[in-house]
Amino acid sequence: MQDGPLTGVRVLDVSTILAGPLCCRILGDHGAEVIKVEHPEAGDGMRGHGQAKDGVPLWWKEISRNKRALGLKLSTPDGADLLLRLAATADVLVENFRPGTLERWGIGPDRLHEVNPGLVVVRVTGFGQTGPYAGRAGFGTLAEAMSGFAHLTGEAGGPPTLPAFGLADSICGMAASTAAMTALFARERNGGRGDVVDINLLEPIMAAVGPGPTVYDQLGEVGERHGNRSTHNSPRNTYRTKDGRWVAVSSSAQSIAERVLRLVGHPEVVEEPWFATGLGRAGHADLIDGHVGGWIAERTEAEVTEAFEAAGAAVAPIYSARDLVEDEHVRETGMLTSVPDDDLGPVLMQNVLWRSAGAPGRIRFTGRALGADTDDILAELGVHAPEVARLRADRTVA
């Protein structure tokens, strides 16, 4: 059975925590065979992230799905040799050690390409392989701080605000999966020669934050915090309903803004000259929010949603995880799916990121125990049971 467009591609996930593992999860979701390489004793730190049920880490089941588990200590000569043997069979290797670490162990890109010239090596770091910050510890929080995201997030006059989840890591992981697939495509066009991809946590979230550097370069302007408002249009905010729920309204299109103001009973505002541009509306956000917020406050969430939909205006409820799980559209379209798991039974998790009619991906299995596939993977390399036993006794494998 074809599991997706990447069926036949072998990926070595030699990364930890989130960005690299998410990159490899995406590749695995679309058919790639992914081998998760972890320290045989410590494992990937992701195993200890988030909530657990009866000692079973829940996030791990999702982030490490579709990955066979190999416990292997890369810092030993035997471990490095086994990785090179694995690399000779692989198409992609994803790692996120500090720059110079793989080279110190004798398994840097140059050595990897000696055993497999076609290997795509994706190197994920906080700040890149070069530059004055290359040696710094890199975490998503630092990228969220330095990218401009935290500077722009929060209430006006309040402190910069960080996200409550791994935003920078997740954006980087998705970007890294695109980079890996782009490099695989390029390999097919350049005679099978692999490449080294240098991707860091900072640049992808910089792209997501927007054109702030360009605006500063050309106009000398620096954006500030405006809470849930936008500097580009209005109405754009969160509003509380009569029954204590919250909804978000967006009006990036002029026609939507007009529909909202007519819906809430203030068509006269639409005739104001300043209403004709997003910037003009943003400059009168107090007035607009007063009209929109007052109308919403007098109605329940269901009434607001029904009225907005009838008017062709844009509104959405502010969801918790419970709301997301119970939403009929999320359920019917398969954005969440239930996957069998040996430890927990059926586990609900996010589905494959996109639907492809001709070659859809799928979730074949959930995250595995540390070293669950070590014996099988090493046997495929021709490492016989007595040698595996020696390596296990030396704590080189698990």
Side-chain angles (χ1 to χ4, degrees):
M1 178 178 179
Q2 292 288 306
D3 288 317
L6 297 180
T7 296
V9 172
R10 173 174 270 197
V11 177
L12 303 182
D13 180 359
V14 193
S15 60
T16 59
I17 303 297
L18 185 50
L22 177 58
C23 165
C24 296
R25 193 212 80 184
I26 293 170
L27 300 179
D29 284 353
H30 290 277
E33 177 203 357
V34 182
I35 296 177
K36 176 68 183 178
V37 180
E38 302 174 78
H39 190 282
E41 296 168 335
D44 184 343
M46 276 298 296
R47 291 182 179 274
H49 273 51
Q51 293 88 342
K53 180 181 179 181
D54 299 328
V56 178
L58 299 179
W59 198 354
W60 181 260
K61 293 296 183 180
E62 183 266 339
I63 196 67
S64 203
R65 70 195 190 198
N66 291 334
K67 301 178 186 181
R68 302 167 72 196
L70 168 66
L72 181 62
K73 187 182 293 185
L74 302 181
S75 59
T76 67
D78 282 338
D81 177 68
L82 287 171
L83 183 76
L84 290 172
R85 293 170 65 177
L86 272 174
T89 72
D91 298 283
V92 178
L93 182 147
V94 179
E95 63 96 2
N96 70 337
F97 294 101
R98 287 201 195 188
T101 300
L102 289 188
E103 287 83 353
R104 189 169 68 251
W105 294 339
I107 47 177
D110 290 347
R111 184 72 181 99
L112 291 167
H113 281 148
E114 286 180 10
V115 301
N116 184 354
L119 185 67
V120 171
V121 181
V122 179
R123 315 196 78 177
V124 182
T125 56
F127 302 101
Q129 296 292 320
T130 61
Y133 301 160
R136 288 185 179 182
F139 296 99
T141 298
L142 310 186
E144 290 147 9
M146 294 177 64
S147 64
F149 173 86
H151 176 79
L152 294 173
T153 305
E155 294 298 324
T161 302
L162 295 167
F165 55 93
L167 179 63
D169 278 277
S170 298
I171 295 174
C172 180
M174 289 183 273
S177 70
T178 300
M181 288 185 277
T182 301
L184 286 174
F185 180 75
R187 185 180 72 172
E188 297 305 307
R189 307 182 70 177
N190 65 13
R193 187 175 65 254
D195 204 351
V196 179
V197 176
D198 179 4
I199 187 168
N200 60 72
L201 297 178
L202 182 57
E203 285 186 276
I205 191 172
M206 283 173 56
V209 169
T214 303
V215 172
Y216 175 73
D217 173 69
Q218 295 296 307
L219 302 177
E221 296 178 5
V222 175
E224 298 298 336
R225 292 182 285 287
H226 299 279
N228 291 317
R229 288 180 174 176
S230 169
T231 57
H232 306 298
N233 62 78
S234 182
R236 195 271 195 176
N237 212 327
T238 59
Y239 308 91
R240 193 165 190 173
T241 64
K242 181 180 179 180
D243 52 349
R245 301 282 291 177
W246 288 89
V247 296
V249 173
S250 177
S251 60
S252 297
Q254 176 73 20
S255 60
I256 299 297
E258 293 175 2
R259 292 171 193 167
V260 171
L261 267 297
R262 290 193 174 102
L263 171 64
V264 302
H266 289 278
E268 77 283 357
V269 176
V270 176
E271 306 304 320
E272 294 287 347
W274 50 262
F275 196 86
T277 67
L279 287 176
R281 296 194 302 275
H284 293 78
D286 286 343
L287 172 68
I288 292 174
D289 275 347
H291 293 327
V292 176
W295 185 90
I296 288 175
E298 296 174 351
R299 291 159 176 82
T300 66
E301 178 194 334
E303 292 169 338
V304 171
T305 300
E306 182 179 358
F308 266 71
E309 288 182 354
V315 70
I318 304 296
Y319 271 179
S320 68
R322 178 191 299 111
D323 300 318
L324 197 61
V325 167
E326 295 174 352
D327 182 88
E328 60 181 357
H329 179 83
V330 171
R331 284 286 198 174
E332 185 174 325
T333 57
M335 294 182 188
L336 296 172
T337 188
S338 185
V339 184
D341 178 76
D342 291 340
D343 299 313
L344 301 170
V347 178
L348 190 70
M349 62 179 62
Q350 296 151 7
N351 207 341
V352 176
L353 271 179
W354 59 86
R355 315 290 182 267
S356 178
R362 71 183 181 106
I363 303 170
R364 302 182 294 281
F365 51 87
T366 58
R368 310 266 286 155
L370 176 59
D373 302 288
T374 295
D375 288 356
D376 290 342
I377 294 170
L378 295 184
E380 292 165 8
L381 289 177
V383 182
H384 300 298
E387 180 65 7
V388 174
R390 182 189 69 81
L391 292 167
R392 189 164 278 126
D394 291 343
R395 297 184 177 180
T396 297
V397 303

